[in-house]
Amino acid sequence: MKISIETLVKSDIDKVWSAWTTPDDINQWNAASDDWHNPRSENDLRVGGKFCYRMEARDGQMGFDFEGTYTRVVPQKMIEYVLEDNRPVSITFEPVNGGVKVVETFEAEGSNSAELQRQGWQSILNRFASYVESKQ
């Protein structure tokens, strides 16, 4: 099952792309809620390159690596990758009136409900938009 989420980031494409792809920025926004954080990120943004984002509960009770391999990179337009469990993900960046529309489509995993996954990924995407807009 594919799930798509989206947001409008009220900024220009250069700032949106940079915040999405720069490890120091990723560490600031990549969490679904305030009780989680992303203490470190590695990002080799090229076809065949890998990324690894460490996501942890702030209380130290849980954590995991979110990682994958890039399969397509079109600067400031699209990123596609495959997660470690072979699920594909696609992100598009489209300049529109008022900002940049970011659409993320991913294959749902089987452990959690589709709605829970949609909410978690949407929450992270909303935090991304808020982070970029706060840097204006």
Side-chain angles (χ1 to χ4, degrees):
M1 163 190 252
K2 287 193 181 287
I3 298 173
S4 287
I5 56 171
E6 66 180 64
T7 194
L8 174 67
V9 184
K10 295 174 186 144
S11 188
D12 64 70
I13 188 64
D14 292 334
K15 290 177 183 164
V16 170
W17 184 262
S18 178
W20 191 272
T21 60
T22 304
D24 287 342
D25 288 315
I26 295 164
N27 292 344
Q28 301 302 311
W29 59 262
N30 192 35
S33 63
D34 289 339
D35 53 343
W36 280 75
H37 68 138
N38 193 110
R40 72 177 181 277
S41 299
E42 298 171 15
N43 194 20
D44 182 8
L45 185 64
R46 62 182 174 83
V47 173
K50 296 187 180 295
F51 67 88
C52 181
Y53 308 154
R54 180 67 187 172
M55 301 174 86
E56 295 179 353
R58 288 192 185 273
D59 65 8
Q61 297 295 313
M62 297 179 68
F64 63 94
D65 289 336
F66 183 79
E67 53 191 323
T69 303
Y70 292 109
T71 56
R72 185 172 181 206
V73 177
V74 181
Q76 299 187 340
K77 293 190 185 310
M78 173 184 280
I79 296 173
E80 293 179 347
Y81 59 85
V82 177
L83 294 168
E84 289 297 295
D85 62 4
N86 290 319
R87 291 183 297 130
V89 179
S90 173
I91 307 108
T92 59
F93 303 84
E94 179 187 355
V96 295
N97 189 21
V100 177
K101 180 178 169 183
V102 181
V103 178
E104 198 168 8
T105 304
F106 62 97
E107 188 74 34
E109 45 92 353
S111 300
N112 296 292
S113 73
E115 186 54 30
L116 184 64
Q117 292 175 68
R118 178 187 311 280
Q119 289 173 1
W121 286 59
Q122 184 68 56
S123 180
I124 293 169
L125 192 56
N126 292 346
R127 287 173 65 99
F128 169 74
S130 294
Y131 171 74
V132 175
E133 291 169 5
S134 75
K135 290 182 62 173
Q136 301 291 16

